[in-house]
Amino acid sequence: MYGGSTAGGIYDAGLIDLVVDGNKANQSSGHAVRIYGRSIRIECVSITNAKERGLSTKWGNPGLLVAPVARGVENIIRNVYIDFAGQEGLYHEGPNDSHYSDIFVVSCGQTTTNTYDNIVATGTYGHAHWTRLHSWRWSPGSYAGFVYPRYALRVESEGNEFDSCDLEGGYSANVYITGSYNAFNATCSFYAVRNGGSNVIIRGSFNVIHGRLTSPESGTCKGIVLGTAGGDTVTHNMIDVVLSEQQAGLVDWTNSDGFNIVKARGYNSAGTFQVGTRNANDVADIVISGSGGGTLQESGLG
């Protein structure tokens, strides 16, 4: 399904009480549901087996509203279940300030392991409010036909807010953030990362990360990674978490640009509690018990 066009898009449309099966085994391409528009309502919808994306939404500048459409542009999407898409399960590229609630995205990126993501928020107008979001990967035992999404959640846009979200099962990381000014509250959980990856990778600035970091599905994992390369700008982020078994290091300081605040309490039965050296302008208040724990309580000098 595809609504509207990039010339103007649709509005005041919706999908309610519907099952969409993309029948990917018999398709060469195509998304299950793709909408360019605003003021869209999607409720009680199940989307499965898309050849490419499960649900893809987009709209542009809110200033483009013209009469008689003079009210808000936000989409409201709730009670939606998406699974086994070949590429991204949910791809949000607008409209801005949309609301997603009670969303389940399971085992997407089925085309190739560690290439596509369960959920993506991207674009200039791709910020949203996310409540009770569960992104995960079903584990079918020894059956090799199901592969792992790269990230449970990839956040490229700015200003997203996450509340009561469970984010797990990513191959490289559970959450990958390149945008800034995003916030996760204390009811969020990050766990069961696969393949010795990381729970949260931050490559942007001014993000707020609260919540719980727990053990990986296999191997060891890092908790918070502040940048992946020297060219990243990773500064003024605030992290306040509780954790268990982040044995490859609760925090990797290697590419921090300073003025980040990391506060953590937890337990590591083995391993190490940090990687790299804290930037002189970072603030650390970390107390981790257990054989893989340690204490680092130092204030940046500014």
Side-chain angles (χ1 to χ4, degrees), residues 61-145:
N61 191 335
L64 294 178
L65 280 176
V66 294
V69 188
R71 34 193 192 80
V73 302
E74 302 93 335
N75 293 346
I76 296 177
I77 299 174
R78 58 190 179 187
N79 296 326
V80 172
Y81 189 95
I82 304 169
D83 63 8
F84 303 119
Q87 297 180 2
E88 295 86 359
L90 194 164
Y91 196 91
H92 172 75
E93 200 174 357
N96 58 292
D97 293 326
S98 292
H99 285 245
Y100 289 84
S101 60
D102 298 295
I103 307 296
F104 302 85
V105 182
V106 185
S107 295
C108 293
Q110 287 298 309
T111 300
T112 310
T113 283
N114 198 32
T115 302
Y116 299 100
D117 313 312
N118 267 359
I119 301 171
V120 177
T122 189
T124 303
Y125 304 104
H127 59 274
H129 304 271
W130 308 81
T131 304
R132 293 183 302 278
L133 175 69
H134 190 188
S135 174
W136 58 289
R137 189 266 188 186
W138 179 58
S139 299
S142 60
Y143 179 51

Side-chain angles (χ1 to χ4, degrees), residues 22-32 49-53 87:
N23 189 25
K24 68 171 177 255
N26 296 303
Q27 307 297 324
S28 60
S29 64
H31 310 309
N49 288 323
K51 184 68 175 182
E52 296 181 50
R53 294 173 186 163
Q87 297 180 2

Side-chain angles (χ1 to χ4, degrees), residues 151 172-173 175-180 197-207 209 222-237 239 249-258 260 262 275-277 279 282:
Y151 308 124
S172 292
V175 178
Y176 182 84
I177 304 169
T178 58
S180 298
S198 304
N199 258 318
V200 180
I201 297 174
I202 303 173
R203 300 186 66 186
S205 300
F206 298 96
N207 296 288
I209 311 294
K222 291 180 182 178
I224 304 288
V225 178
L226 299 173
T228 61
D232 291 345
T233 301
V234 185
T235 183
H236 293 90
N237 295 287
I239 296 105
L250 158 70
V251 58
D252 185 341
W253 303 99
T254 304
N255 294 295
S256 169
D257 289 313
N260 298 291
V262 179
V275 176
T277 302
N279 185 292
D282 285 328

Side-chain angles (χ1 to χ4, degrees), residues 157-241:
S157 52
E158 297 185 349
N160 291 278
E161 298 178 3
F162 297 88
D163 177 68
S164 301
C165 297
D166 288 343
L167 303 162
E168 59 173 311
Y171 193 86
S172 292
N174 282 326
V175 178
Y176 182 84
I177 304 169
T178 58
S180 298
Y181 302 100
N182 299 288
F184 294 76
N185 80 8
T187 59
C188 293
S189 296
F190 315 88
Y191 55 95
V193 66
R194 179 74 176 175
N195 194 45
S198 304
N199 258 318
V200 180
I201 297 174
I202 303 173
R203 300 186 66 186
S205 300
F206 298 96
N207 296 288
V208 178
I209 311 294
H210 297 292
R212 300 178 292 269
L213 310 176
T214 61
S215 57
E217 180 180 340
S218 61
T220 60
C221 72
K222 291 180 182 178
I224 304 288
V225 178
L226 299 173
T228 61
D232 291 345
T233 301
V234 185
T235 183
H236 293 90
N237 295 287
M238 179 177 290
I239 296 105
D240 187 351
V241 295

